[in-house]
Amino acid sequence: AQKITQTQPGMFVQEKEAVTLDCTYDTSDPSYGLFWYKQPSSGEMIFLIYQGSYDQQNATEGRYSLNFQKARKSANLVISASQLGDSAMYFCAMREGNGGFKTIFGAGTRLFVKA
Amino acid sequence: DTEVTQTPKHLVMGMTNKKSLKCEQHMGHRAMYWYKQKAKKPPELMFVYSYEKLSINESVPSRFSPECPNSSLLNLHLHALQPEDSALYLCASSQGLAGGPSWIADTQYFGPGTRLTVL
């Protein structure tokens, strides 16, 4: 079974608008961390934001925020005021407390920002 | 500073060649990783070093040989590769926090990758 599911292969958003990228996860481990990474066409994976399973507040980092709904096992990334430079592949990922060094990645969502 | 560097940026090699990929970090991280990424796919874990010891080998063919000479350096030695090994090879590092609630927050920082083409 897929542990991280990103159901949107591609998304379009108008510049300056907000966009939500979906991520659902599946784990029986009560302790886990959720990550979002951005990968531009240049190839580098850029860490954006982190949310821990025990965190009470939704994580925010600048224009990025994570809509964490634990009961629904979802961790959607919200990008506010989209910029042309936000066009990239976005990966949701999870590290489980019992998973050792392994990080599980979703299939990714390609975001296109239109001018 | 969250910089991980990788050299070379691009590499083209024949199936009989021997080459090496290099990764370096100076963040004091104690865990280092090699990933392979094919186009439009997520990264696949190959190897993990923790405190300079090989911790994970994800059943990678022996034509890929990792090496961790010290806590800042990670190499991937390539020999007799196949065309299907052509991919983006990403190196990452993390603090390597072990155990406890901080473990799940052990963020990986990635390098820019090496684009490998095997002819």
Side-chain angles (χ1 to χ4, degrees):
Chain A
Q2 295 265 11
K3 286 212 165 190
I4 295 282
T5 302
Q6 295 181 254
T7 57
Q8 307 150 314
M11 289 275 289
F12 285 87
V13 65
Q14 197 67 40
E15 195 179 9
K16 298 181 187 175
E17 292 186 350
V19 63
T20 298
L21 306 183
D22 294 342
C23 173
T24 57
Y25 60 92
D26 183 26
T27 181
S28 56
D29 196 326
S31 178
Y32 53 90
L34 297 158
F35 303 81
W36 277 92
Y37 287 90
K38 170 186 178 182
Q39 188 175 39
S41 55
S42 59
E44 183 174 359
M45 296 275 283
I46 302 166
F47 166 68
L48 296 178
I49 196 166
Y50 163 80
Q51 180 85 44
S53 58
Y54 299 115
D55 294 343
Q56 297 295 313
Q57 306 268 23
N58 284 347
T60 60
E61 287 287 347
R63 294 188 298 112
Y64 305 107
S65 60
L66 205 152
N67 183 0
F68 180 47
Q69 298 188 43
K70 195 169 180 176
R72 297 181 63 182
K73 293 191 173 178
S74 75
N76 299 338
L77 177 70
V78 180
I79 305 175
S80 63
S82 297
Q83 301 171 356
L84 295 177
D86 294 334
S87 293
M89 183 72 98
Y90 289 80
F91 290 100
C92 179
M94 176 172 66
R95 175 168 278 197
E96 296 170 299
N98 292 323
F101 282 103
K102 294 187 181 182
T103 298
I104 305 157
F105 287 87
T109 295
R110 171 72 67 179
L111 178 67
F112 300 92
V113 180
K114 300 182 289 184
Chain B
D1 182 13
T2 55
E3 189 178 17
V4 177
T5 60
Q6 287 186 248
T7 55
K9 283 190 167 42
H10 300 272
L11 179 61
V12 179
M13 61 186 289
M15 289 190 285
T16 58
N17 290 159
K18 284 186 182 181
K19 297 285 184 183
S20 297
L21 309 185
K22 180 179 170 182
C23 173
E24 195 165 4
Q25 59 88 13
H26 294 288
M27 295 178 278
H29 287 175
R30 302 316 300 264
M32 296 186 77
Y33 310 72
W34 279 116
Y35 286 88
K36 174 183 177 180
Q37 187 180 24
K38 300 287 260 185
K40 300 182 182 179
K41 297 288 187 183
E44 299 172 29
L45 184 64
M46 300 174 73
F47 303 103
V48 181
Y49 274 83
S50 172
Y51 288 81
E52 296 147 60
K53 287 185 171 33
L54 185 64
S55 178
I56 294 178
N57 176 344
E58 289 287 78
S59 304
V60 178
S62 59
R63 57 186 184 268
F64 295 91
S65 175
E67 179 197 19
C68 189
N70 59 55
S71 60
S72 302
L73 276 176
L74 184 66
N75 297 321
L76 185 63
H77 303 298
L78 315 172
H79 174 54
L81 294 193
Q82 304 296 310
E84 60 264 28
D85 296 322
S86 298
L88 178 68
Y89 288 83
L90 292 163
C91 173
S93 71
S94 70
Q95 287 188 352
L97 309 168
S102 356
W103 176 248
I104 57 174
D106 193 34
T107 303
Q108 291 173 72
Y109 294 92
F110 287 80
T114 294
R115 289 195 187 275
L116 174 67
T117 302
V118 182
L119 301 176

